[in-house]
Amino acid sequence: MSPVNLLDFDLDGLAAHCQTLGEKRFRAVQLFRWIHQKGAADFGQMSDLAKSLRDKLAGSAVIRPLALLSEQASTDGTIKWLFDVGNGDAVETVFIPEDDRGTLCVSSQAGCAVGCRFCSTGHQGFSRNLSTGEIVAQLWFAEHHLRQRLGLAAGERAISNVVMMGMGEPLQNYAALVPALRTMLDDHGYGLSRRRVTVSTSGVVPMIDRLREDCPVALAVSLHAPNDALRDQLVPLNRKYPLAELLQACRRYLASAPRDFITFEYCMLDGVNDDPEQARELIALVHGPRAEQRVPCKLNLIPFNPFPASGLKRSPRERVMAFARQLQEAGIVTTVRKTRGDDIDAACGQLAGEVQDRTRVHKRMTRPVIRIEPSTQDLT
Ligand code: SAH
Ligand code: SF4
């Protein structure tokens, strides 16, 4: 039998596993702390665990790290790691240091089946879901590697925030995602605040509802268009869950969310979604026809990060700023995301890893649907 990977368990899962070994919950807590707080990968290190338990674990379990393929460091301090996840697939994880925080951008899938037009991961197609252990291993590696590298004192943390904004659609890998989130939040694990763990989704409506029940964390929704006609083209999942349903799910989510707003992400594409009329439409959309239909939100404008074969261009800076001003004047808190790590292709939407496409997504993408002239019928 192949050994169990203990990174696959949240604390309750580990306690259940320990029970099968005849061990009490407090042993699972000790073990969990060794793994996640101290970064131990070797049962021999776990000095306060009984020798008999260490022996049992050594024969049946492992703490399986991801195989590191490469590391790239940007001039702005951003670090991107590429991990081998087997069978020709590789995923990327990005560390983004700022003065007051350290953010880790984590991948949830090898590739992505949603196939957004402006996303390099989407263009690659989909291979498979990552396991909980593979999601958690990205944080486990980054936290403990950075603590050493940055020479942090005992008790200091390298990573204060996690954003599920790497490769993949986290809400299409729900079963693996939730235990991973719980491990991030657990005081015996990484102890991250719910407000500092963000799930970003292209809008898988039923799973937004489940996340609200199972593990509410901060929610970011990738909007990118103010109407269904355009969003259908940019984010194909919109055909299944159109904007009205998505916004209703956002409102429901806020009832249990750790923050009192949803972050809407909006990737600024030259001549596609950056027109003043589209800003007006976007304002009307989030304000809703009636006050009770308003979605409390922040808008995060992301200047498009180009990649070969996208056929799209970044909106000029003045246009992004004018769009932002229009939203702000309508009372919507709006930020323009600083591009980080673009010299190493680590910026939003540039993560491509290596994916063996097992779908036809890539093939579909080669059909030119989007034209960048604002007047084309396709876009209005
Ligand atoms: N699948 C999830 C999370 C991963 S993508 C989602 O779509 O939300 C993280 C963010 O980067 C999303 O808002 C996504 O729309 C945005 N993004 C994707 N490609 C981009 C690109 N080329 N330039 C800028 N942002 C991009
Ligand atoms: Fe998938 Fe998100 Fe990229 Fe869309 S933007 S293809 S949902 S990773």
Side-chain angles (χ1 to χ4, degrees), residues 108-301:
S108 57
Q109 299 180 310
C112 183
V114 176
C116 301
R117 306 293 309 195
F118 49 83
C119 172
S120 145
T121 308
H123 273 252
Q124 284 200 308
F126 177 69
S127 179
R128 70 170 176 87
N129 280 330
L130 298 187
S131 64
T132 298
E134 289 168 329
I135 297 172
V136 169
Q138 297 170 59
L139 175 58
W140 182 82
F141 168 84
E143 176 64 39
H144 299 293
H145 172 81
L146 289 168
R147 271 189 211 174
Q148 275 195 347
R149 179 161 166 169
L150 306 174
L152 299 186
E156 275 187 300
R157 299 281 173 82
I159 291 159
S160 58
N161 296 54
V162 168
V163 291
M164 296 301 305
M165 292 187 188
M167 295 166 69
E169 169 48 58
L171 294 187
Q172 287 189 337
N173 184 14
Y174 190 79
L177 175 72
V178 168
L181 295 176
R182 289 188 175 136
T183 299
M184 294 172 193
L185 300 174
D186 202 303
D187 283 341
H188 298 297
Y190 298 86
L192 298 179
S193 137
R194 282 183 191 279
R195 300 154 61 87
R196 290 170 172 263
V197 174
T198 302
V199 167
S200 176
T201 180
S202 54
V204 191
V205 165
M207 295 303 160
I208 294 177
D209 286 326
R210 285 190 54 189
L211 189 68
R212 184 190 77 212
E213 299 283 326
D214 295 338
C215 192
V217 291
L219 186 69
V221 171
S222 296
L223 214 51
H224 308 310
N227 59 53
D228 284 322
L230 179 58
R231 196 164 189 271
D232 280 352
Q233 290 193 64
L234 295 176
V235 183
L237 193 67
N238 194 68
R239 296 175 203 149
K240 196 159 180 194
Y241 305 115
L243 281 167
E245 280 181 39
L246 178 57
L247 294 190
Q248 267 171 22
C250 290
R251 275 192 294 271
R252 288 193 295 273
Y253 192 84
L254 284 170
S256 337
R259 290 187 179 272
D260 55 7
F261 60 89
I262 302 283
T263 302
F264 287 129
E265 293 160 288
Y266 195 99
C267 176
M268 299 292 293
L269 301 164
D270 187 22
V272 172
N273 63 0
D274 61 351
D275 192 79
E277 178 50 35
Q278 289 163 318
R280 270 194 292 281
E281 225 183 328
L282 183 58
I283 294 162
L285 181 77
V286 301
H287 279 167
R290 287 195 300 277
E292 66 275 18
Q293 283 165 302
R294 194 175 73 91
V295 183
C297 64
K298 290 191 181 173
L299 241 301
N300 191 207
L301 303 181

